[in-house]
Amino acid sequence: MRDDISQQLDGFGADMPAMTWASPEEIRGRGERRRRVRAAGMTTAAVVATVLVAGTAFALGARPGDPAPPATTATPAVPRINTSPSARPALTTPSAGPSVPGSTSADLVIPAGAMLRASDAGPSYRVDDGEYLGENYRYVTGLCLEKGQWDGEPSAPTGTRPPGARRQQVLESDKLRMHLVQQVDDYGSAELARARMAHERAGFEHCAKVDHRETHVTFDVVRRGFAGAESLMVLQSPNVLLVLVRVDRMYIEISIFYPGTPSALNMAIAGNLAEEAVARICAATTAC
């Protein structure tokens, strides 16, 4: 049995072709070549992927030669704001005053007919549909509070009122280079409107002169008791007349901006305008 197996193995070896084994140096060379080929393949794949991504972006973007789209940023609307030193918001809020009772009564909605007409101010005036966001004397009285000249007493009414309980309009005259801002507030009761008048009157008296950095303003009460149940006319240096009037529960505030210092004639005309404002209130509301 052993001899048969030996003979078969001898025959198997004789039938196989002669083989020459590679040297160690040649084997290392083959491995190095395989490594370079593999690295080159990976680089090619990366290039192809980049081209595909770029092609996709091109398909979704602009055509060749189109300018790149500009970066978009939200641009807020620019309000009409006076750039004078007193055209800033008040820095402080006076202490809480009498609370305004919540009400949705139709009587608290101020109709358009309760406001001055452009013709009341003069033939060259027109109504400006925009809301006035500019200069307001309360910035100065706010500085007065900050400086400790006034403690804010008596306090102004606080609380929430129906949206229709306040109305504002602007009258402008290009010919006279003047504008007028009227604001009417319905406080729902004469007591609250009276508290508002008392607060503003105290502010003018305690803040008769305010000097703070670039702000130099004086308030001078020039007339009293010329319209409605209560009224004040205040000269705010250098070129503003303030007219404050109370008609029962209604509070009227008119700011008239002149190109120069208001004259005695200007003050007389402002007084007549206050009487006309009261007449409009009485004709259009139940305050009178």
Side-chain angles (χ1 to χ4, degrees):
M1 186 65 148
R2 177 65 181 173
D3 293 339
D4 293 339
I5 294 175
S6 298
Q7 291 176 1
Q8 292 176 9
L9 291 176
D10 292 340
F12 179 78
D15 294 337
M16 291 183 64
M19 298 180 63
T20 304
W21 299 100
S23 66
E25 290 76 13
E26 186 175 355
I27 292 173
R28 282 194 296 269
R30 291 174 183 173
E32 181 66 18
R33 286 193 296 274
R34 288 194 186 98
R35 187 188 64 77
R36 288 198 297 268
V37 171
R38 187 180 298 110
M42 293 176 67
T43 301
T44 301
V47 171
V48 172
T50 301
V51 170
L52 289 175
V53 171
T56 303
F58 178 83
L60 296 176
R63 297 187 301 274
D66 286 350
T72 58
T73 55
T75 303
V78 179
R80 298 185 301 109
I81 297 180
N82 192 303
T83 57
S84 64
S86 57
R88 306 181 185 89
L91 301 180
T92 61
T93 300
S95 56
S99 177
V100 175
S103 175
T104 57
S105 170
D107 288 342
L108 293 182
V109 177
I110 300 171
M115 308 298 287
L116 287 169
R117 297 176 184 174
S119 58
D120 295 333
S124 65
Y125 278 85
R126 58 183 172 80
V127 176
D128 188 325
D129 294 331
E131 182 180 3
Y132 184 74
L133 301 176
E135 184 174 348
N136 190 295
Y137 72 87
R138 290 187 185 85
Y139 169 71
V140 182
T141 54
L143 284 177
C144 180
L145 285 166
E146 287 289 314
K147 290 168 61 64
Q149 291 180 228
W150 180 36
D151 60 3
E153 297 294 336
S155 302
T158 61
T160 303
R161 290 175 293 151
R166 169 176 291 182
R167 195 177 188 107
Q168 184 193 82
Q169 74 171 2
V170 179
L171 303 179
E172 291 188 332
S173 173
D174 297 329
K175 180 180 178 181
L176 300 176
R177 295 184 297 136
M178 294 167 55
H179 64 273
L180 176 155
V181 182
Q182 180 191 19
Q183 180 177 301
V184 177
D185 290 85
D186 189 339
Y187 280 98
S189 75
E191 178 186 1
L192 293 174
R194 192 178 296 114
R196 175 66 184 273
M197 281 289 294
H199 174 78
E200 303 302 338
R201 184 187 301 110
F204 297 134
E205 292 171 351
H206 287 86
C207 307
K209 183 177 182 180
V210 178
D211 291 307
H212 182 75
R213 296 180 181 175
E214 75 276 15
T215 301
H216 307 283
V217 175
T218 61
F219 294 110
D220 183 17
V221 178
V222 294
R223 289 187 66 185
R224 299 174 187 260
F226 51 89
E230 296 179 81
S231 55
L232 282 177
M233 185 180 298
V234 181
L235 174 61
Q236 176 186 339
S237 65
N239 64 333
V240 184
L241 272 183
L242 305 173
V243 178
L244 281 59
V245 181
R246 181 181 69 83
V247 182
D248 192 54
R249 67 178 191 268
M250 311 292 285
Y251 171 79
I252 307 168
E253 186 175 286
I254 303 172
S255 300
I256 310 173
F257 299 81
Y258 297 86
T261 302
S263 64
L265 178 60
N266 294 142
M267 295 177 190
I269 294 173
N272 294 336
L273 195 62
E275 293 178 355
E276 190 63 43
V278 171
R280 296 289 183 196
I281 289 286
C282 290
T285 72
T286 61
C288 304

